[in-house]
Amino acid sequence: MSTLALERPATEDLVLSKAAIRTAERLGLTSQDFAAVLGLSEASISRLRNEKLFLHRGQKAFELALLLVRLFRSLDAITGGDEMVSRRWMKAHNSALGGLPVEKIKSIAGLMDVIAYLDTRRAIL
């Protein structure tokens, strides 16, 4: 079964597909970055944005999208909803993470590391 499907999605699939797209936009991710995070091609990302394809529960891209949204929610809470601060943070070197968050999140381990880092920072608030 493919990660994306042409049929009209279930409500949760539609909601997460849209949330993931909005998250990528708010974090300033390029199509290439977004594709790398979800493990999809840039063409699939284009179809996802145009609602030609959707993420579906049980698929790896769906689970990665959930994690990306979780990352955004933590970062958004820390930055007080300031989109520009979030975008700058994603593209700035982070010594605790050992690199740029935007690059780290392109691997599952890196995505989990960034989420864990943000969760610890959020707990301080």
Side-chain angles (χ1 to χ4, degrees):
M1 184 196 257
S2 79
T3 301
L4 302 169
L6 292 170
E7 69 273 2
R8 195 68 186 158
T11 301
E12 72 177 357
D13 298 346
L14 179 62
V15 169
L16 182 61
S17 294
K18 288 183 176 187
I21 292 162
R22 182 76 177 121
T23 294
E25 290 169 356
R26 293 200 57 199
L27 291 175
L29 300 181
T30 65
S31 291
Q32 185 177 19
D33 293 335
F34 189 33
V37 172
L38 297 187
L40 301 173
S41 68
E42 286 184 66
S44 291
I45 293 298
S46 178
R47 289 191 298 274
L48 186 65
R49 284 191 169 124
N50 292 320
E51 295 189 18
K52 304 272 189 221
L53 295 172
F54 301 93
L55 302 172
H56 290 283
R57 179 170 286 288
Q59 300 296 322
K60 185 176 181 181
F62 184 97
E63 293 175 22
L64 292 168
L66 281 173
L67 292 171
L68 183 63
V69 171
R70 179 176 165 199
L71 178 155
F72 169 75
R73 289 181 54 151
S74 291
L75 184 57
D76 193 57
I78 292 167
T79 63
D82 189 326
E83 193 172 310
M84 294 312 295
V85 172
S86 293
R87 287 177 175 210
R88 282 194 304 267
W89 185 86
M90 288 295 295
K91 293 178 179 163
H93 180 80
N94 183 300
S95 57
L97 293 170
L100 305 175
V102 70
E103 293 300 322
K104 301 294 280 181
I105 66 172
K106 292 178 184 177
S107 73
I108 295 171
L111 180 59
M112 296 304 297
D113 287 346
V114 173
I115 290 169
Y117 173 82
L118 289 172
D119 284 349
T120 60
R121 306 295 349 138
R122 191 172 173 188
I124 294 171
L125 299 177

